[in-house]
Amino acid sequence: MSQKSFQEIHHADSAGWESSKAPRSHLRHLEAELSFLSMLTGFNITHYSKKTEDPTSAEMTEESIKKVLQRHRLSGSCHVVMFQLEFQILEIQNKENLSSVITDLSIVMEPTEYSELNEFVSSFPLACPSAMVLLTCNSPKEMEPADHGLKPLKPAEERRDLFMFFRGLHFFVEWYEYRKRTFKHFKDKYPDVVHLPEGPCSRCMGIHSASCPGFELMIVWRIQIDEEGKVSPLLDLLTKIPQRALELDKNRVIETAPLCFRTLLRVLGIEAAVESLIRLLQTGNA
């Protein structure tokens, strides 16, 4: 065998070996990118499938119009929230352009303590959260949380908006975990003053006065998703005051307390405003 033919065989073998390595390298690259996206966004995709149909009729074929219907099924999680999506995308191509639209979207959420997500996902509300039951107390002076001028929410399913769903879910979970950590921090720091009526995942935090029985402040912290899918925290202060104290409050301090608290939130931020409220009540106890 000549030297030239030997080199050709060696080159062919090397090329074949390199071509077999390329798919594995590409797969590792894709896995690394997916892992980075999961770490960055908090989303972890566990299953995905796709089916394609051709609903193009004979008349459309004659007019050079082609339709492709894609059926997608996606399962995954965002932190501890499990979800499953089923959606259809219809692509229509003619001589001039290509257009696509989501024609159907179904979202299934696994049961969790994240009941506030329900209005955002679908139009079937869950039972009223126990945090709202506290607003029907027998206190002579009680206030409903402010509506903050919010528009009614149009669910992501009805809008057939995938981007709205993913963005809303991501930021909702972040705010939820922040609320949970914040309430736990104050409960651990002031165990004799602060209590969480609903446990570790409570939507409200009570602050009571040891020196004034019957006097209690309740911070209700809701997480609102607006009609565009933007997430924001809404905090209100409720008061439970004995009738005698109300009669002695000639300067209407108790009546204006919720408004003052919202002003404090804008100036100091959430944690500093709550801390100031607790210390104020502790000073009164002293």
Side-chain angles (χ1 to χ4, degrees):
M1 183 182 294
S2 66
Q3 183 178 359
K4 180 178 181 182
S5 60
F6 178 81
Q7 289 176 344
E8 289 175 351
I9 294 173
H10 177 72
H11 177 72
D13 290 343
S14 299
W17 173 251
E18 290 298 327
S19 63
S20 65
K21 289 172 60 180
R24 291 198 296 269
S25 176
H26 184 59
L27 179 61
R28 287 195 296 269
H29 177 71
L30 291 176
E31 289 176 343
E33 286 190 340
L34 184 59
S35 177
F36 173 74
L37 287 174
S38 296
M39 181 181 62
L40 186 66
T41 64
F43 284 98
N44 182 33
I45 306 303
T46 57
H47 175 76
Y48 172 73
S49 63
K50 172 185 173 182
K51 293 183 179 179
T52 304
E53 300 177 8
D54 185 2
T56 307
S57 64
E59 293 81 3
M60 291 179 178
T61 303
E62 292 177 0
E63 298 176 3
S64 300
I65 298 177
K66 181 176 177 58
K67 285 187 176 182
V68 176
L69 182 63
Q70 301 175 2
R71 301 180 186 273
H72 301 262
R73 176 173 291 183
L74 181 70
S75 300
S77 63
C78 181
H79 298 280
V80 297
V81 180
M82 309 294 293
F83 62 86
Q84 179 176 308
L85 303 178
E86 294 184 8
F87 57 97
Q88 296 181 171
I89 299 178
L90 178 62
E91 291 186 350
I92 303 176
Q93 184 173 13
N94 54 31
K95 295 179 179 179
E96 298 179 356
N97 54 38
L98 172 67
S99 62
S100 62
V101 61
I102 297 177
T103 58
D104 184 60
L105 173 61
S106 174
I107 304 173
V108 178
M109 305 287 292
E110 293 292 331
T112 66
E113 71 270 20
Y114 297 81
S115 58
E116 291 159 295
L117 271 175
N118 190 72
E119 292 182 4
F120 166 65
V121 172
S122 68
S123 56
F124 299 98
L126 295 174
C128 179
S130 55
M132 296 299 101
V133 176
L134 292 170
L135 306 185
T136 61
C137 59
N138 296 322
S139 168
K141 187 67 177 179
E142 57 186 28
M143 293 186 60
E144 293 294 329
D147 60 13
H148 299 269
L150 296 171
K151 299 179 181 179
L153 179 64
K154 196 172 184 179
E157 275 189 345
E158 186 178 345
R159 283 175 168 262
R160 298 194 295 270
D161 192 332
L162 282 172
F163 177 72
M164 174 182 173
F165 168 75
F166 282 112
R167 180 181 64 179
L169 178 59
H170 170 75
F171 287 109
F172 177 91
V173 172
E174 282 198 346
W175 274 111
Y176 185 96
E177 293 298 331
Y178 175 63
R179 178 179 67 183
K180 186 177 178 180
R181 290 194 307 269
T182 302
F183 279 173
K184 182 181 184 302
H185 164 74
F186 288 115
K187 171 63 178 173
D188 293 342
K189 188 174 182 178
Y190 304 102
D192 298 330
V193 178
V194 172
H195 69 100
L196 305 178
E198 298 175 317
C201 300
S202 184
R203 286 168 286 262
C204 52
M205 185 182 81
I207 310 170
H208 63 84
S209 171
S211 61
C212 301
F215 184 93
E216 183 176 5
L217 301 178
M218 185 69 66
I219 297 175
V220 179
W221 184 342
R222 295 173 292 165
I223 303 173
Q224 176 67 39
I225 307 177
D226 68 15
E227 61 176 5
E228 300 300 327
K230 296 179 181 179
V231 184
S232 58
L234 299 178
L235 285 83
D236 287 293
L237 180 67
L238 310 180
T239 58
K240 296 172 66 176
I241 312 297
Q243 182 63 36
R244 179 57 179 167
L246 289 174
E247 294 173 354
L248 296 175
D249 185 21
K250 304 301 182 181
N251 295 325
R252 301 171 59 196
V253 175
I254 298 171
E255 183 179 341
T256 58
L259 180 60
C260 294
F261 177 66
R262 287 194 287 272
T263 302
L264 204 62
L265 285 170
R266 289 193 295 269
V267 175
L268 300 179
I270 294 175
E271 294 184 38
V274 174
E275 182 88 31
S276 299
L277 201 62
I278 295 173
R279 289 184 176 180
L280 179 65
L281 212 59
Q282 280 190 320
T283 302
N285 293 342

